[in-house]
Amino acid sequence: MPEDSGKFAEKIGAFAAPGAQVNIGTQIINGQKQLTPTKSIPYRGSVHFVGRETELTMLHEGLQRKDYVAIAGMGGVGKTELATQYAKRYQEYYGGITWFNDRETNLAAEVLEVFRLQFSFEIPQELGGTLLSLKEQVAWCWSRYPNSNLPILIVFDDVTDLDNLRQVVPQDNRFRVLITTRLRHLDPNFIQEISLDVLSPQKEPGKALELLKRLLGVTDRRVENEPEAATAICECLEYLPLGIELVGGYLLGDPNISLNIMFGRLQEYKLAESALQDRETLNSTQLGVKAAFALTWSELDPLAQQLGIFLSLFSPTLILWDLVIWVAIGGGEAENQEERQLTWSENELNAAKKQLYGRNLLQLVEERAGYYKIHALVRWFLQAQLADAGEMKSVLETTFASAMIAKAQILPYSATSEQIESIKDIVPHLEDLGNRLIAERKEAKQAQIISLASVPSDEVIWIFVGIKRFYEGQTLYQLAEPWGEECLNVCQSLFAGDHPDVATSLNNLAFLYNNQGRYSEAEPLYTKALAMRKRLFAGDHPNVATSLNNLALLYNNQGRYSEAEPLYTKALAMCQRVLGVNHPSTVTVQENLAILQRQSTPPAIRKRRLAQFVQILRAILILPFSLLWRLAKKLIRN
């Protein structure tokens, strides 16, 4: 009999061998009948299983060392599928296989129920007049598990709490224990962890496309006919096996949908797309993506849920944690911290982050210390939670937008390398916010827009200006141009008729074209900006002077000096009246005018002036030398 049976018998003071009887007080306990281990694998597994060969080998090696082994990863990554594939592929190595699901019920209660149903055990409620705890009843069951010449594989699927697992896991070394869990960084003294990631194109090239192709079947040619769309779908789903399987099953059921159309629907509807919801595809028990993530979501504390929603506002690819702290605890808000809408502390945020990270909703970027990322489908889930967050939605969006605007405003037109470096970690999040503003503008169509993404309308322009200046400062004009163009589009949608931000957007886009030598495109924009500013600002105004200077600079670049000079003259006079003679803007216009006057002077006059200058210089240099020579001769004679 198993060693643990003897230990358990020692504890209760009696032992019943199979087929025998033993008296404990007035109670007679029958020894269990001789039983044979069974192999129970509740899932049939996918016939389209691809990749994971390395993980299967690691699983088997760990279990053969008699280790407890855990498959850990985010929801939908294929942990249960991998456990199923392992159990089926290596079942000849085991005398029995028993499967438990932690999430479906109380784990200890489920263990007892399986023994009652599978082996018809009559589990004692008390022994020696002492009530048995659940843990003791479970230990009694393991001690009576049927003998086998081969090890017994015990699978605990979807474990949510390691402490609960410790109460029910068998201690006898004839058992091999495999668990799946969404938890990470498990106790290495208790269990060996095998991290399961998505079907990475770097680690497993082509596996995601291979899975999609297999799901559609050998007669379906959509992957071959639309390879770019197939790749885009896998990239959009960020190679999450559950997402690919659900979309593949959906496409299989409707062969008339092209992959291009499917990709567009995923981008438009995101997690609301029906292809990602509950469907009977390869596995009738398979959850949709939203339901799979909701299981993990329900385990989080309220603050961790709020932080998750807040992080959905950031670009998912590279999130600097120090930036999150800065934004959340008052970045860009008024100096009076009593006015803060969020009352999170740094310690609370770190504790909440630990929960998100510990359940694979937040991933560490290993090659960049202090940076995190969020899987695209997780972010879609978090954005759905944000949409349902009530008043908190506006608070979070306003807090985020205010901080992003504060960062965007620090970049001047001519940003230094140091200033560009200071904002590089913010730009991806500015771009993401800008894209949301663009999307909302397009959805609004012809309707007058009041506000976008909780960004005050008079501050919307700064999102685009900050991004544009970031790229312009590096002479990356092709990257800057779309943001300049979209800035104009958004401002024109926000403000009907003349408005300072529309004029500024016209001026900024013209400035970008001018820097690229695209003068014919820049000129009408500069002209419109100047005309609009003259209508908006009566009399002298710095913005009008700026437009006069910029249009003059454009004419100067084209050699149209006679048109440029009067504009420079007007701009200079206006700056001197409004800003003063020593103001940087006044000095700039004055320098521009001086350069123009030098450039516009005819070549003959420039040549004559140069000759006169040389003569004067020669006189200055020669005169002292002749005097010195006369003095030297006089000294020699003496």
Side-chain angles (χ1 to χ4, degrees):
M1 293 298 293
E3 182 183 349
D4 282 3
S5 299
K7 290 180 181 178
F8 192 84
E10 255 179 49
K11 177 178 178 182
I12 62 177
F15 177 72
Q21 286 186 343
V22 64
N23 293 329
I24 301 177
T26 58
Q27 185 177 10
I28 299 177
I29 295 181
N30 292 322
Q32 301 296 328
K33 297 179 181 179
Q34 186 67 40
L35 299 171
T36 302
T38 60
K39 294 184 179 181
S40 173
I41 305 173
Y43 309 114
R44 64 188 180 91
S46 173
V47 295
H48 304 295
F49 184 75
V50 298
R52 310 303 196 196
E53 294 301 323
T54 300
E55 288 84 357
L56 284 170
T57 301
M58 292 171 63
L59 276 178
H60 191 58
E61 290 175 350
L63 290 168
Q64 294 312 296
R65 289 193 300 266
K66 305 179 182 179
D67 292 339
Y68 295 170
V69 179
I71 306 170
M74 65 182 290
V77 82
K79 301 178 296 296
T80 298
E81 180 64 35
L82 182 60
T84 300
Q85 294 291 337
Y86 174 78
K88 288 183 172 294
R89 185 175 299 190
Y90 290 93
Q91 59 182 309
E92 68 272 14
Y93 287 83
Y94 299 101
I97 299 174
T98 301
W99 197 289
F100 303 98
N101 190 299
D102 182 23
R103 191 180 292 276
E104 289 182 357
T105 182
N106 177 281
L107 190 54
E110 185 182 358
V111 171
L112 299 180
E113 185 67 15
V114 167
F115 277 101
R116 287 193 189 99
L117 296 177
Q118 211 171 79
F119 301 113
S120 300
F121 278 8
E122 295 179 7
I123 303 169
Q125 300 297 311
E126 62 176 352
L127 289 175
T130 302
L131 286 174
L132 298 180
S133 65
L134 277 177
K135 182 178 180 179
E136 289 171 332
Q137 288 181 309
V138 169
W140 183 90
C141 290
W142 291 127
S143 72
R144 308 308 296 269
Y145 195 96
N147 282 330
S148 171
N149 293 327
L150 294 172
I152 305 298
L153 177 63
I154 308 298
V155 180
F156 293 100
D157 192 19
D158 212 355
V159 170
T160 58
D161 190 325
L162 281 189
D163 290 335
N164 290 340
L165 179 68
R166 293 177 198 271
Q167 302 299 311
V168 301
V169 71
Q171 303 298 318
D172 192 331
N173 61 16
R174 69 189 177 117
F175 295 103
R176 305 289 185 268
V177 176
L178 171 61
I179 79 168
T180 71
T181 182
R182 302 178 188 213
L183 303 174
R184 71 162 91 228
H185 293 329
L186 309 176
D187 182 0
N189 296 318
F190 175 53
I191 198 162
Q192 175 193 346
E193 180 180 344
I194 296 177
S195 296
L196 196 62
D197 205 347
V198 297
L199 293 171
S200 168
Q202 288 77 33
K203 297 179 181 178
E204 299 172 296
K207 293 299 182 182
L209 282 176
E210 181 185 346
L211 175 58
L212 181 60
K213 187 175 179 180
R214 287 192 184 185
L215 289 164
L216 297 180
V218 294
T219 60
D220 194 303
R221 307 295 299 175
R222 279 178 284 184
V223 172
E224 290 86 352
N225 294 338
E226 302 176 78
E228 292 182 359
T231 300
I233 287 173
C234 294
E235 289 176 349
C236 179
L237 300 172
E238 285 198 7
Y239 309 100
L240 187 72
L242 175 59
I244 295 172
E245 289 181 14
L246 289 170
V247 169
Y250 186 88
L251 290 167
L252 181 64
D254 192 343
N256 294 320
I257 298 180
S258 73
L259 299 190
N260 272 312
I261 291 176
M262 186 76 257
F263 174 61
R265 285 172 51 170
L266 287 172
Q267 287 187 307
E268 181 177 359
Y269 299 109
K270 299 183 178 179
L271 213 58
E273 168 54 40
S274 57
L276 293 175
Q277 301 312 311
D278 297 3
R279 299 188 56 78
E280 290 191 4
T281 55
L282 301 178
N283 184 347
S284 61
T285 64
Q286 194 171 38
L287 293 173
V289 173
K290 186 174 182 179
F293 291 146
L295 296 176
T296 307
W297 184 252
S298 64
E299 299 167 3
L300 299 174
D301 292 340
L303 181 57
Q305 291 182 341
Q306 287 185 1
L307 176 60
I309 292 172
F310 187 56
L311 290 175
S312 75
L313 295 170
F314 290 77
S315 174
T317 53
L318 207 61
I319 303 173
L320 177 63
W321 181 247
D322 287 344
L323 175 64
V324 176
I325 295 291
W326 180 81
V327 173
I329 65 176
E333 293 186 2
E335 292 183 4
N336 183 5
Q337 294 298 300
E338 293 179 359
E339 297 179 5
R340 284 177 50 198
Q341 293 179 291
L342 295 176
T343 57
W344 297 336
S345 71
E346 185 171 349
N347 288 337
E348 287 174 329
L349 287 169
N350 284 326
K353 178 194 71 174
K354 187 176 180 181
Q355 280 197 46
L356 294 172
Y357 177 71
R359 286 166 174 78
N360 277 287
L361 293 177
L362 187 64
Q363 299 169 299
L364 188 65
V365 180
E366 296 180 359
E367 61 273 16
R368 299 283 298 273
Y371 289 83
Y372 293 83
K373 62 181 179 179
I374 301 175
H375 190 279
L377 299 190
V378 172
R379 188 178 185 235
W380 290 356
F381 174 82
L382 295 174
Q383 288 175 336
Q385 302 303 312
L386 174 67
D388 295 332
E391 294 181 1
M392 181 56 69
K393 177 179 184 290
S394 178
V395 172
L396 296 176
E397 287 182 335
T398 300
T399 299
F400 175 78
S402 297
M404 292 298 107
I405 290 167
K407 285 292 187 182
Q409 288 173 331
I410 69 173
L411 277 186
Y413 269 113
S414 300
T416 64
S417 57
E418 184 177 352
Q419 289 170 324
I420 290 171
E421 181 69 18
S422 71
I423 201 176
K424 67 179 178 63
D425 288 322
I426 289 87
V427 169
H429 311 297
L430 278 172
E431 290 183 318
D432 196 80
L433 178 56
N435 284 324
R436 292 207 299 276
L437 298 176
I438 294 167
E440 290 185 28
R441 178 190 69 83
K442 291 178 179 178
E443 288 175 8
K445 295 181 180 177
Q446 301 302 320
Q448 181 64 33
I449 304 171
I450 305 302
S451 178
L452 292 170
S454 294
V455 180
S457 58
D458 60 343
E459 294 185 334
V460 163
I461 189 173
W462 281 109
I463 303 296
F464 299 91
V465 167
I467 302 168
K468 177 176 170 288
R469 288 181 181 176
F470 174 77
Y471 289 123
E472 271 185 317
Q474 304 170 76
T475 65
L476 299 173
Y477 299 127
Q478 288 186 336
L479 296 178
E481 184 176 335
W483 295 104
E485 293 172 346
E486 287 296 348
C487 181
L488 178 59
N489 293 334
V490 170
C491 286
Q492 286 176 331
S493 297
L494 280 171
F495 310 112
D498 294 343
H499 191 276
D501 287 354
V502 176
T504 298
S505 299
L506 288 164
N507 180 78
N508 290 349
L509 185 56
F511 184 83
L512 178 64
Y513 290 156
N514 188 28
N515 283 341
Q516 299 176 77
R518 296 160 63 181
Y519 304 129
S520 61
E521 295 172 81
E523 184 173 354
L525 299 179
Y526 272 144
T527 303
K528 288 180 182 178
L530 175 59
M532 188 176 293
R533 282 174 168 173
K534 284 182 176 180
R535 292 193 296 270
L536 287 167
F537 309 111
D540 294 341
H541 193 278
N543 287 1
V544 176
T546 297
S547 282
L548 287 167
N549 176 77
N550 290 346
L551 185 55
L553 181 62
L554 174 71
Y555 291 156
N556 190 24
N557 290 340
Q558 295 176 285
R560 297 160 63 181
Y561 304 124
S562 60
E563 296 173 82
E565 186 168 3
L567 297 179
Y568 273 140
T569 303
K570 288 181 182 179
L572 179 59
M574 193 175 292
C575 284
Q576 288 172 337
R577 290 192 296 268
V578 176
L579 303 173
V581 295
N582 296 321
H583 191 276
S585 295
T586 304
V587 174
T588 297
V589 177
Q590 195 166 18
E591 290 175 348
N592 289 343
L593 180 57
I595 292 171
L596 176 138
Q597 289 173 341
R598 287 197 300 270
Q599 290 175 332
S600 61
T601 303
I605 295 176
R606 288 205 304 269
K607 185 176 181 181
R608 186 168 62 249
R609 288 177 179 174
L610 179 60
Q612 291 171 346
F613 174 75
V614 169
Q615 287 178 352
I616 294 171
L617 181 61
R618 183 182 300 164
I620 293 172
L621 293 174
I622 291 175
L623 181 61
F625 179 78
S626 62
L627 290 175
L628 287 173
W629 177 244
R630 290 175 187 174
L631 179 60
K633 289 195 294 184
K634 186 176 181 181
L635 289 173
I636 294 170
R637 292 195 194 102
N638 294 335

